[in-house]
Amino acid sequence: MEKQALPASSLILEDKVSHLSNGAATYPLPAANGSLVPLAVSGGGAAGAGQDKTVTVGVANGAGPGYQERETWTRQMDFIMSCVGFAVGLGNVWRFPYLCYKNGGGVFLIPYLLIVFVGGIPIFFLEIALGQFMKAGSINVWNIAPLFKGLGFASMVIVFFCNTYYIMVLAWGFYYLIKSFSSTLPWSSCDNEWNTPSCIEIFHHQDCKNASLANTTVGNSNMTCADLADARSPIIEFWENKVLNISSGLDEPGKLNWELMLCLVAVWVLVYFCVWKGVKSTGKIVYFTATFPYVVLIILLVRGVTLPGAYDGIMYYIKPDWSKLEEAQVWIDAGTQIFFSYAIGLGALTALGSYNRFNNDCYKDAFVLALINSGTSFFAGFVVFSILGFMAAEQGVDISQVAESGPGLAFIAYPKAVSLMPVAPLWAALFFFMLLLLGLDSQFVGVEGFVTGILDLIPGKHYHRYKREIAVAICCLLCFIIDLSMVTQGGMYVFQLFDYYSASGMTLLWQAFWECIVVAWVYGADRFMDDVARMIGYRPFPWMKWCWSFITPCVCIGIFLFHLVNYKPLTYNTEYVYPWWGEVIGWCLALSSMLCIPTTILYKLFRARGTFRERWAHLTTPVWGAHHLEYMAPDVKSLSPLSPGTDDNKVIIFESVM
């Protein structure tokens, strides 16, 4: 690819040129051929004082002190598989199918696909392209407009919270997987120590349709129809009494569940050894963790469609209800689901993109990954509803009574369904193994994104052979310590607090809105399109620019305001209402990321010098990395070898606003 010159007044080097005082300084940067040359900076005056400085480059005979080149993927397919592993997760299997059936079946695809093209793909592409262009993680990538570096800190806070609570789902899945290796599934009967007298294995709802039979005994049990209203399934009792051993509220943490804690330790150890060596090892592991769930989904679909009631379940899933398009909630659900399932605003996509080759075609990758993500969501619906249709037929109830989303589907509805199948332990083990893999690659890519952001903050001169391994260990240990609060009897209440507030729809929408504003209006949409063209060799369709500038920010802020206006206090099982101090903790979790952006803007503006216009101009000037000079600077190979010490030998390459 031909190397092109940056516009004048656009260059500030990463090595703190923006903080120069009077006098001269030299900084290493690469020549077009990859060797390093010293950068000489001369001139006086403080930044923001309105004086121009001339940044000059001389080509030395010897190489200066080098900079460590960023690690890259061994193959481009490693990047694709890592993105698939991260973005295609539990939400595709347990949230999308439920939203689809709830919001009008096949009709839901209309608002879903519309928002994919006006919100999902543009921001998905923006984050990957930003990482690839800046060759940096979620914090340093905002050197493209340093005033808004708070966006990077916000995404780090969000992904840290996600890493902390998301792994609990894997711990529960691992626990269920272990319990599946038994001749009789422990959640299929009422003969266990954790069951109560209200436990009943089969609900004979059809015997109680006549209200006059309230005192009639149903089935082979001693329960009357009146008692049936308070009866509990063995799977619910296994979940609440055995797995969670749940207390009465957030104010009663209770004791640790040692079995669950050991599962948590095992999963964290697995994550650590998947991440500790960086993308070279992670890129290999995702070939299995990202593809094998598709094998299991196909096996479960083949099994599901052969069960009685499967057809009714699938028709319930896709049957269109056109009247739903008039409801605002349907459009909001579509938008929120896309932001969740595309993993937007977490900074991990940026980190993955930063390991790409500079000229990788990330535009094409974004569309391929979007197709895989949304296609998986739709396909998983057939798997889930074929099983739920069978479950409804077995119990003699409507499918709406067994359809659930989230943990309710994974740990209650589906385990109940497989317990009704022949060779139940096999299907249970397959399902929970798939669940574990779906969550595992999302988890370790999330940890990778967080660690990448942290390591990018450490200057290259502080090199340590095992700094990545140490950083990953500290991250995992810190998250594990917080997770201990979630393996207590009150742990489910803590988990819901994190899930509802820390990485909620509002925080992700807030993040996505500011990403679009900064790139389109501060840095410049046309300017960034030019940068993308330098990387991939052609300009993307102008639709991307229009979305970043107008459509996507409007979609984000619209859904954000809808969430805010229709806010409802958090509850557990629609019965337990969280205390006021619990809600305060939740809002603190949400605001801890959202306030990073305005706080950082105000802090940087306050600390800068000069008039407001001078401060703004200085703080929105990009801080380029060394690789930008290699790929984008004029070719300096033709310059004669010079001695860097004399003014006569200085060659003006760029002029900066300083």
Side-chain angles (χ1 to χ4, degrees):
M1 184 182 69
E2 186 180 348
K3 296 165 186 172
Q4 303 176 40
L6 289 173
S9 303
S10 65
L11 177 70
I12 295 181
L13 283 179
E14 213 164 80
D15 290 343
K16 313 299 183 186
V17 177
S18 57
H19 299 291
L20 291 175
S21 57
N22 294 346
T26 59
Y27 298 87
L29 65 136
N33 60 2
S35 61
L36 292 166
V37 296
L39 169 72
V41 182
S42 58
Q51 299 177 357
D52 286 348
K53 278 182 187 257
T54 300
V55 180
T56 59
V57 174
V59 184
N61 241 340
Y67 72 97
Q68 190 177 1
E69 278 197 37
R70 193 171 189 82
E71 194 176 11
T72 56
W73 302 103
T74 306
R75 302 179 191 85
Q76 196 51 37
M77 186 54 69
D78 295 358
F79 165 70
I80 297 292
M81 298 308 295
S82 294
C83 285
V84 169
F86 180 62
V88 177
L90 298 171
N92 300 73
V93 174
W94 73 17
R95 196 165 186 268
F96 176 85
Y98 175 79
L99 289 178
C100 197
Y101 115 82
K102 176 188 138 186
N103 292 311
V107 167
F108 182 67
L109 293 178
I110 296 174
Y112 179 84
L113 291 175
L114 189 62
I115 298 177
V116 161
F117 284 102
V118 302
I121 294 177
I123 302 181
F124 191 84
F125 169 58
L126 175 66
E127 292 196 359
I128 292 174
L130 260 179
Q132 182 172 312
F133 179 63
M134 295 300 290
K135 289 285 182 185
S138 55
I139 296 179
N140 280 356
V141 76
W142 294 107
N143 282 338
I144 201 168
L147 178 61
F148 297 90
K149 220 167 182 177
L151 273 163
F153 294 113
S155 65
M156 289 285 281
V157 172
I158 296 172
V159 81
F160 176 77
F161 286 147
C162 277
N163 292 340
T164 301
Y165 83 85
Y166 189 83
I167 201 166
M168 281 306 305
V169 180
L170 305 187
W172 294 329
F174 190 53
Y175 184 83
Y176 271 80
L177 178 63
I178 294 171
K179 295 293 183 181
S180 299
F181 293 105
S182 59
S183 56
T184 304
L185 295 175
W187 56 81
S188 62
S189 67
C190 293
D191 304 327
N192 306 288
E193 58 181 354
W194 57 82
N195 294 124
T196 65
S198 301
C199 180
I200 182 172
E201 294 179 18
I202 300 176
F203 289 73
H204 296 271
H205 293 279
Q206 64 276 12
D207 296 340
C208 298
K209 288 181 180 177
N210 190 336
S212 63
L213 301 176
N215 295 317
T216 305
T217 301
V218 294
N220 298 323
S221 67
N222 295 322
M223 285 189 173
T224 63
C225 289
D227 297 330
L228 193 62
D230 299 320
R232 289 162 62 85
S233 165
I235 179 58
I236 293 178
E237 295 207 336
F238 177 78
W239 170 241
E240 293 191 348
N241 299 350
K242 175 62 176 172
V243 181
L244 301 179
N245 194 15
I246 196 165
S247 65
S248 60
L250 185 63
D251 54 344
E252 291 184 28
K255 59 185 180 181
L256 283 172
N257 184 331
W258 292 101
E259 288 183 323
L260 209 53
M261 192 185 79
L262 290 175
C263 291
L264 182 65
V265 171
V267 177
W268 267 123
V269 169
L270 196 57
V271 169
Y272 176 78
F273 286 108
C274 287
V275 176
W276 71 323
K277 290 298 182 185
V279 295
K280 297 292 186 185
S281 60
T282 306
K284 304 298 178 290
I285 296 166
V286 290
Y287 277 91
F288 176 71
T289 58
T291 56
F292 191 74
Y294 289 96
V295 176
V296 179
L297 278 173
I298 292 170
I299 293 171
L300 291 175
L301 177 64
V302 171
R303 176 58 182 145
V305 296
T306 60
L307 295 169
Y311 177 79
D312 294 332
I314 291 172
M315 291 309 297
Y316 202 85
Y317 168 53
I318 60 174
K319 185 180 179 181
D321 180 359
W322 296 99
S323 64
K324 289 284 186 179
L325 288 176
E326 301 172 3
E327 299 178 16
Q329 186 63 49
V330 174
W331 295 82
I332 301 304
D333 282 347
T336 307
Q337 171 62 17
I338 286 162
F339 280 87
F340 272 122
S341 67
Y342 277 52
I344 289 167
L346 302 178
L349 293 174
T350 305
L352 293 178
S354 73
Y355 296 115
N356 278 337
R357 291 173 291 105
F358 188 78
N359 58 353
N360 172 61
D361 193 347
C362 53
Y363 183 60
K364 180 188 69 177
D365 291 346
F367 281 93
V368 170
L369 290 166
L371 179 64
I372 293 172
N373 194 317
S374 297
T376 303
S377 297
F378 188 61
F379 175 70
F382 290 93
V383 180
V384 169
F385 272 84
S386 64
I387 302 294
L388 292 181
F390 161 72
M391 183 177 170
E394 285 290 299
Q395 295 184 358
V397 298
D398 190 74
I399 296 173
S400 60
Q401 293 182 248
V402 297
E404 296 195 52
S405 69
L409 173 68
F411 302 114
I412 296 176
Y414 211 98
K416 174 64 178 174
V418 296
S419 69
L420 302 174
M421 296 182 191
V423 202
L426 171 65
W427 302 110
L430 263 180
F431 175 75
F432 287 112
F433 186 56
M434 177 196 71
L435 202 72
L436 192 62
L437 292 181
L438 274 175
L440 191 61
D441 45 16
S442 297
Q443 179 70 24
F444 65 64
V445 174
V447 173
E448 173 66 46
F450 181 79
V451 171
T452 297
I454 294 294
L455 292 179
D456 282 350
L457 294 178
I458 302 173
K461 62 183 179 181
H462 296 297
Y463 175 76
H464 188 282
R465 183 179 176 184
Y466 298 109
K467 71 176 182 179
R468 162 170 279 279
E469 289 85 342
I470 294 170
V472 175
I474 293 172
C475 171
C476 293
L477 183 61
L478 189 58
C479 290
F480 173 75
I481 292 170
I482 299 173
D483 285 332
L484 289 177
S485 64
M486 300 183 200
V487 293
T488 61
Q489 290 176 279
M492 188 59 180
Y493 304 110
V494 179
F495 173 85
Q496 275 207 321
L497 267 184
F498 274 82
D499 185 45
Y500 195 73
Y501 290 101
S502 68
S504 64
M506 284 200 297
T507 57
L508 299 181
L509 289 162
W510 175 258
Q511 182 79 3
F513 169 78
W514 279 104
E515 286 180 7
C516 291
I517 294 299
V518 172
V519 171
W521 295 102
V522 179
Y523 182 74
D526 283 315
R527 189 178 177 187
F528 189 65
M529 290 284 276
D530 290 339
D531 295 334
V532 171
R534 285 191 180 110
M535 291 192 296
I536 66 177
Y538 60 93
R539 284 179 70 88
F541 189 65
W543 174 256
M544 288 293 173
K545 180 180 68 175
W546 303 334
C547 285
W548 296 335
S549 303
F550 305 105
I551 304 172
T552 307
C554 291
V555 169
C556 291
I557 205 67
I559 300 175
F560 176 85
L561 291 174
F562 185 90
H563 273 290
L564 204 58
V565 170
N566 294 279
Y567 168 76
K568 295 177 182 176
L570 179 60
T571 61
Y572 176 72
N573 272 356
T574 68
E575 297 174 0
Y576 174 75
V577 180
Y578 278 67
W580 67 268
W581 55 269
E583 281 202 66
V584 169
I585 293 173
W587 276 107
C588 286
L589 292 173
L591 292 174
S592 63
S593 63
M594 295 171 70
L595 290 180
C596 284
I597 301 168
T599 303
T600 307
I601 293 172
L602 293 174
Y603 174 78
K604 284 181 174 286
L605 285 172
F606 179 76
R607 290 293 303 272
R609 300 177 188 175
T611 64
F612 178 79
R613 177 173 291 183
E614 289 169 344
R615 297 181 193 199
W616 178 269
H618 169 57
L619 291 170
T620 55
T621 301
V623 179
W624 299 122
H627 70 282
H628 290 108
L629 297 178
E630 179 180 350
Y631 286 102
M632 300 168 66
D635 195 346
V636 300
K637 285 188 287 186
S638 59
L639 297 176
S640 304
L642 302 172
S643 173
T646 62
D647 287 339
D648 294 335
N649 291 334
K650 291 178 181 175
V651 181
I652 296 176
I653 300 294
F654 295 111
E655 196 171 68
S656 82
V657 294
M658 299 192 58

